[in-house]
């Protein structure tokens, strides 16, 4: 029960990933978990850039998810504790805006510790070999090399490069963050879909990355107060999933169908089918495909109010 005496929202989770059809192993990582005594959900997916220039990006993606879920788990407890009172929302919004910097710093510490103990380039002073990608300003090209730049530790961060998407969901607030490519889809009980960060078709392979200097400045934030009723279903995925569809409408129909099938057959049935669905996606896109999601177990509710999205 929550502070008002009504049942707290419960969620059922989806979590799965497959490697690209022609890849030796997946560069993606994902996780879905409940926290705060089941009153909040944390979702995260990360997509390591792959290629020879980013040959440790599977580790970068793993540590991105770990760093996010650690910081977001603490934030989720604060949202549950203070989020029932709208007077606390400005402070919670400020904390949401600062969370990407915490995550990036934690990710960098983990990467640089690993780099210090096992130099990516054989202890040659840390400079990236000719043709390898460096942590420069601007977007990182997935699957392609760029000339290195900057100090030795900065150059070495590029081999761990990864994107990151995450969300915290409670009965009163939904907060999403995104750095780099990938997709967040919100699905209402009636199947209506919304994508808070969607700006149009992806026209290339460049993406913002955790390996860039002050990467947190490029993170986008979606702050979505709810009306005290069950929130929308939330699906976050790496771009290997959406790229497997012929068009954007097909991807949205898939997302709507996930919630519809969860309502009619149960989330456990959807989870059981998820590896097959993602496997088909990986076959068509050629890329790793990872999805994490949360479906409210409570009945349908009213429309949410006053979402706020920061884009930089």
């Amino acid at each position: 029960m929550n502070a008002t005496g009504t049942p707290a929202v419960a969620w059922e989770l989806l979590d799965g990933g497959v490697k690209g059809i022609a890849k030796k192993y997946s560069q993606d990582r994902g996780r879905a978990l409940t926290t705060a005594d089941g009153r909040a959900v944390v979702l995260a997916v990360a997509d390591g850039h792959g290629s020879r220039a980013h040959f440790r990006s599977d580790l970068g993606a793993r540590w991105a998810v770990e760093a996010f879920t650690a910081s977001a788990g603490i934030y989720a407890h604060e949202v549950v504790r203070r989020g029932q009172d709208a007077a606390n929302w400005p402070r919670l919004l400020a904390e949401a805006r600062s969370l990407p910097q915490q995550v990036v710093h934690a990710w960098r510490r983990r990467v640089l510790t690993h780099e210090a103990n096992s130099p990516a380039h054989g202890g040659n002073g840390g400079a990236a070999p000719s043709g390898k990608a460096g942590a420069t300003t601007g977007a990182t090209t997935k699957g392609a090399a760029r000339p290195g730049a900057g100090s030795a530790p900065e150059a070495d961060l590029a081999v761990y490069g990864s994107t990151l998407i995450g969300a915290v969901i409670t009965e009163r607030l939904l907060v999403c963050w995104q750095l780099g490519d990938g997709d967040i889809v919100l699905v209402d009980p009636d199947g209506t879909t919304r994508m808070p960060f969607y700006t149009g078709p992806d026209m290339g392979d460049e993406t913002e990355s955790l390996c860039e200097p002050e990467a947190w400045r490029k993170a986008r934030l979606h702050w979505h107060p709810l009306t005290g009723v069950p929130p929308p279903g939330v699906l976050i995925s790496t771009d290997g999933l959406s790229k497997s569809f012929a068009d954007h409408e097909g991807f949205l129909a898939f997302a709507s169908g996930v919630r519809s099938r969860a309502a009619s057959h149960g989330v456990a049935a959807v989870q059981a089918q998820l590896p097959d669905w993602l496997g088909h996606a990986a076959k068509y896109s050629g890329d790793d495909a990872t999805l994490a999601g949360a479906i409210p177990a409570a009945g349908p509710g009213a429309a949410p109010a006053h979402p706020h999205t920061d884009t930089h």
Side-chain angles (χ1 to χ4, degrees), residues 58-182:
D58 60 318
L59 297 176
R62 180 202 305 171
W63 297 330
V65 168
E66 290 176 358
F68 179 83
T69 54
S71 292
I74 295 170
Y75 179 71
H77 278 78
E78 287 301 298
V79 173
V80 168
R81 186 172 70 87
R82 296 187 283 149
Q84 294 292 332
D85 184 351
N88 293 324
W89 288 359
R91 179 60 181 171
L92 290 171
L93 175 57
E95 292 173 9
R97 287 173 169 155
S98 70
L99 187 137
Q101 186 170 8
Q102 300 171 28
V103 172
V104 171
H105 283 326
W107 181 83
R108 286 172 59 94
R109 285 194 298 270
R110 186 67 182 88
V111 165
L112 291 175
T113 297
H114 186 268
E115 182 67 17
N117 288 287
S118 180
H121 305 300
N124 63 352
S130 176
K132 301 297 184 183
T136 64
T137 58
T140 296
T141 301
K142 296 171 66 177
R146 278 192 321 188
S151 65
E154 293 297 330
D156 282 339
L157 291 181
V159 305
Y160 302 88
S162 176
T163 66
L164 177 62
I165 304 175
V168 168
I169 315 163
T170 74
E171 62 182 322
R172 294 300 307 275
L173 290 171
L174 163 63
V175 190
C176 305
W177 299 261
Q178 182 163 349
L179 177 65
D181 56 27

Side-chain angles (χ1 to χ4, degrees), residues 257-270:
V258 167
R259 176 144 195 185
S260 174
R261 188 163 183 83
S264 60
H265 293 79
V267 173
V270 175

Side-chain angles (χ1 to χ4, degrees), residues 8 13 20 49 60-61 96 117 148 152 176 193 214 220 251 308:
L13 305 183
H49 301 329
N117 288 287
C176 305
T193 56
E214 298 188 339
R220 293 173 284 174
F251 175 59
H308 172 80

Side-chain angles (χ1 to χ4, degrees), residues 238-250:
T238 57
D239 67 341
L241 178 56
S242 60
K243 285 182 177 179
S244 70
F245 291 88
D247 53 37
H248 182 61
E249 289 69 25

